[in-house]
Amino acid sequence: SSLNAVTISGLFLNDVPNDTITLANIFTSVDPAKPVKPQTYDLIGAYPNPFNPLTRIVFQTPIAGQVRLEVYNMQGVKIKTLRDEQMGSGQHEIFWDGTNGLGQTVATGEYFCLMRAGSFTKTLRLLLLK
């Protein structure tokens, strides 16, 4: 890989105004073979949101275990269970296509995705537009 130099000027270094400092061999790298293990549970977000007809829900788990993701309407009625299974640690995604548990398209409006894993719970607001 090539190394680039970064020049920073106009700084006061050791009380010398407008001296020039050159920083060389500064680089970062990420090894895709070694994914970073999440340290916490999190229901990260939904993309896009608002959505039509599909949204991608991203979440993470620091350890393997049972994970449940459910969609509720504004009245608190469960619309659909998206996931209820043992999952490994890491970042995960699931898609919701705006349908209920019977496969019927739900009405335009606000919904909530609830994630439960161990003692962790978090809710994410979803907005379906048609």
Side-chain angles (χ1 to χ4, degrees):
S1 85
S2 64
L3 299 176
N4 297 321
V6 177
T7 302
I8 302 172
S9 61
L11 296 177
F12 289 87
L13 179 65
N14 298 326
D15 295 318
V16 179
N18 297 320
D19 201 8
T20 299
I21 304 169
T22 300
L23 306 172
N25 300 329
I26 297 175
F27 62 94
T28 60
S29 66
V30 176
D31 184 352
K34 295 182 180 180
V36 177
K37 181 180 175 187
Q39 299 299 308
T40 60
Y41 288 101
D42 197 8
L43 180 55
I44 297 168
Y47 312 97
N49 192 20
F51 71 98
N52 179 12
L54 189 72
T55 189
R56 178 174 61 105
I57 299 166
V58 180
F59 59 99
Q60 68 184 27
T61 57
I63 59 172
Q66 189 75 18
V67 176
R68 180 183 294 209
L69 288 157
E70 299 168 317
V71 176
Y72 290 83
N73 66 15
M74 291 292 292
Q75 291 74 38
V77 175
K78 183 169 67 171
I79 299 300
K80 188 173 193 174
T81 298
L82 300 176
R83 175 85 30 107
D84 187 7
E85 63 188 62
Q86 287 285 321
M87 300 193 70
S89 67
Q91 190 172 90
H92 308 278
E93 65 181 23
I94 190 166
F95 293 87
W96 183 43
D97 60 0
T99 61
N100 63 20
L102 300 174
Q104 302 162 329
T105 301
V106 297
T108 295
E110 282 188 76
Y111 295 87
F112 296 94
C113 179
L114 173 64
M115 176 181 170
R116 293 183 185 145
S119 62
F120 174 84
T121 60
K122 185 173 178 181
T123 303
L124 177 67
R125 180 181 165 268
L126 305 171
L127 183 57
L128 173 61
L129 298 178
K130 293 185 181 178

